[in-house]
Amino acid sequence: MTSMEQVNENNKKEETTTEDSSQSSSGFTIDSSGKKHWDTVQVDSGQSEATNWSVKEDWSFDPNNTKVIHNLDDNLPWEKILGVHTTDDGSELFFIELEDVGIVALKGSLTIASDIFANELALLAGLEDVPKMKMVCEKEDPQWDAMTEALWKLEATKRSPELTQENASSKLAKTLHNRSSLILMEFVKGHDLQTLLSEEEGNLVKRVLKKDSVLVSIGHLIGFDMFVNNWDRFPYVWRNNGNAKNVMFNVQKERASGIDHTFTSIDPNQFPENCKEYLDSVSKSIDDIIQNPQKESEATAKVRSFIKENANVDIEEKGSLTIQKGILESVTRIAQLDIKAISKTKKHIAKDISPTTEEYGFSDEAVGLNRINADFLDQIHSLFQSKA
């Protein structure tokens, strides 16, 4: 019998439990608390760092040929899990396919509170294609056990023979070991800049980046990123090279959207100079556009270079001016937001997360609550209002 057949055979056997930690007939051990620990079943021994997990040898992640799960409120049928895919970078992001149901994303994060808060702000600010998010907690969500059991079962298929579940060290295992809460997230279909470049021998990206609607939506993203101090996307007012993977393009809808929104406060009481420096840089970048609407600003020129570097397309000064139009639209939208509604969003998130932090003794820093500073939020919102 092949290892693949053994997995399938194990899946068909009836699960049995005993009160003491014991070996079942289905390839797992049940400890005294009732949790299952899946034995190593090495389907693929040739991959040192797995990026795909599945009991089907021919399974691969194909986001363009499957449905997206939009309703995250219902308990998902985790027993139908077909496979899990992750990227080969350092992010704890996993794409999960449930057979005949669709794809959903799962994310482990040290800043879960600020990630969800930024996502809620993106919805309030009118950004398009903002993915739905839901926090899943070990002690509170009824689907936690079914979800993690299904993931551990798959993780065992790519585990080194000498490892048990307790000392498994794959990317998926580390997330399951170290997180007591995860973000369940709607999958966003589309292309990032670099996958756009690979389509149609580079012709698709050229067509997409000529669309005014796409460039305006890039401006909307930049305006929002300045509001939440999300430095991990565009090199605008931040001293970085940008992150092309956090910009998605919907070719059919002809617009750009963001993934991995996050909110990073700079406490004006604890770090007054840093906060002032950031607010001044945002203020200057907006003033440069307002005062010279027909001139490419220094900050927008950096975005133009960023796009050229990652997509091999020069949007030219005309494209930069269109992006600047989108930035000013975003500033106006955000200035009109109700700060009280924003505060309610923060309180709602804190209320959801607090039981988890208390249960495990986590600090606000451990879940990103400290990143949501009310004073910073008031100041950046007032700044936007003064520019609208």
Side-chain angles (χ1 to χ4, degrees):
M1 181 180 291
T2 68
S3 58
M4 189 67 240
E5 291 169 338
Q6 181 65 54
V7 171
N8 292 333
E9 183 66 23
N10 286 343
N11 289 343
K12 295 176 184 176
K13 293 180 181 179
E14 182 178 351
E15 299 175 2
T16 59
T17 62
T18 61
E19 292 189 5
D20 297 322
S21 177
S22 62
Q23 181 71 35
S24 81
S25 61
S26 298
F28 57 80
T29 300
I30 302 174
D31 65 20
S32 58
S33 69
K35 285 189 176 182
K36 295 177 182 177
H37 299 256
W38 288 93
D39 298 338
T40 301
V41 183
Q42 196 170 19
V43 173
D44 179 4
S45 60
Q47 191 170 358
S48 58
E49 181 57 41
T51 56
N52 285 331
W53 293 266
S54 177
V55 293
K56 292 189 175 182
E57 291 178 330
D58 60 348
W59 180 85
S60 62
F61 178 60
D62 187 359
N64 296 315
N65 291 318
T66 188
K67 296 184 296 184
V68 173
I69 298 172
H70 297 292
N71 188 359
L72 305 181
D73 292 329
D74 295 338
N75 287 341
L76 297 177
W78 295 103
E79 72 279 2
K80 291 187 174 183
I81 194 165
L82 193 60
V84 178
H85 171 76
T86 189
T87 56
D88 56 5
D89 56 20
S91 65
E92 291 182 64
L93 184 60
F94 304 90
F95 305 106
I96 302 170
E97 183 176 356
L98 303 178
E99 193 167 16
D100 300 322
V101 181
I103 291 178
V104 70
L106 190 70
K107 181 182 178 183
S109 174
L110 288 171
T111 57
I112 188 169
S114 59
D115 292 352
I116 293 176
F117 182 63
N119 212 64
E120 292 294 322
L121 287 183
L123 290 169
L124 290 173
L127 291 187
E128 293 93 353
D129 299 328
V130 179
K132 296 175 185 175
M133 278 187 174
K134 177 184 178 181
M135 184 173 65
V136 185
C137 299
E138 180 175 358
K139 296 293 184 181
E140 298 174 13
D141 199 292
Q143 63 181 323
W144 176 273
D145 287 344
M147 178 185 73
T148 53
E149 179 185 323
L151 291 173
W152 272 123
K153 187 174 182 179
L154 284 189
E155 195 280 333
T157 65
K158 291 289 182 73
R159 196 185 299 156
S160 298
E162 69 275 8
L163 299 179
T164 64
Q165 180 170 308
E166 288 71 23
N167 55 21
S169 58
S170 69
K171 186 176 177 179
L172 179 57
K174 288 176 182 177
T175 293
L176 293 173
H177 278 313
N178 298 330
R179 303 285 178 236
S180 59
S181 57
L182 295 163
I183 297 175
L184 197 61
M185 190 163 55
E186 187 179 21
F187 176 71
V188 178
K189 281 191 175 184
H191 299 75
D192 62 32
L193 276 174
Q194 294 183 343
T195 58
L196 263 182
L197 180 60
S198 66
E199 296 284 342
E200 299 180 17
E201 298 180 346
N203 291 319
L204 179 60
V205 72
K206 292 176 183 177
R207 293 202 306 274
V208 168
L209 290 173
K210 284 182 179 179
K211 302 286 185 180
D212 282 357
S213 59
V214 171
L215 298 174
V216 167
S217 60
I218 288 175
H220 292 165
L221 274 176
I222 293 171
F224 177 74
D225 283 345
M226 289 193 291
F227 179 58
V228 297
N229 190 18
N230 179 18
W231 46 266
D232 193 25
R233 193 166 5 244
F234 294 107
Y236 204 71
V237 294
W238 304 274
R239 301 185 187 96
N240 64 12
N241 296 322
N243 184 349
K245 291 184 178 180
N246 281 342
V247 190
M248 299 294 291
F249 294 87
N250 189 313
V251 177
Q252 286 72 35
K253 295 180 180 179
E254 297 185 349
R255 64 190 182 211
S257 62
I259 58 172
D260 271 2
H261 301 300
T262 193
F263 187 90
T264 309
S265 298
I266 305 174
D267 189 335
N269 299 309
Q270 189 175 2
F271 305 105
E273 293 182 4
N274 299 63
C275 184
K276 183 178 184 303
E277 180 184 359
Y278 179 72
L279 294 175
D280 286 347
S281 65
V282 172
S283 178
K284 180 182 183 305
S285 72
I286 298 173
D287 284 342
D288 285 347
I289 301 173
I290 294 173
Q291 294 166 8
N292 299 284
Q294 298 306 314
K295 180 181 178 181
E296 179 185 64
S297 72
E298 181 181 345
T300 311
K302 292 197 296 182
V303 174
R304 177 179 167 185
S305 297
F306 166 76
I307 292 172
K308 187 174 182 179
E309 179 181 345
N310 287 278
N312 200 28
V313 173
D314 186 1
I315 61 172
E316 302 179 345
E317 185 172 12
K318 180 179 180 293
S320 289
L321 297 183
T322 307
I323 287 176
Q324 290 176 181
K325 175 186 174 184
I327 292 173
L328 292 183
E329 289 179 358
S330 182
V331 169
T332 300
R333 284 184 190 175
I334 292 168
Q336 294 170 349
L337 292 179
D338 183 354
I339 196 70
K340 292 182 180 178
I342 294 174
S343 297
K344 285 182 181 178
T345 299
K346 177 192 173 183
K347 290 178 182 177
H348 173 72
I349 291 169
K351 182 180 178 182
D352 283 349
I353 290 180
S354 290
T356 303
T357 60
E358 293 168 4
E359 176 76 27
Y360 292 94
F362 294 158
S363 65
D364 285 354
E365 290 183 356
V367 292
L369 276 172
N370 65 309
R371 288 191 172 205
I372 310 173
N373 181 279
D375 293 333
F376 175 80
L377 188 58
D378 284 340
Q379 291 191 25
I380 190 70
H381 187 249
S382 296
L383 172 62
F384 273 55
Q385 286 182 317
S386 71
K387 306 298 180 182

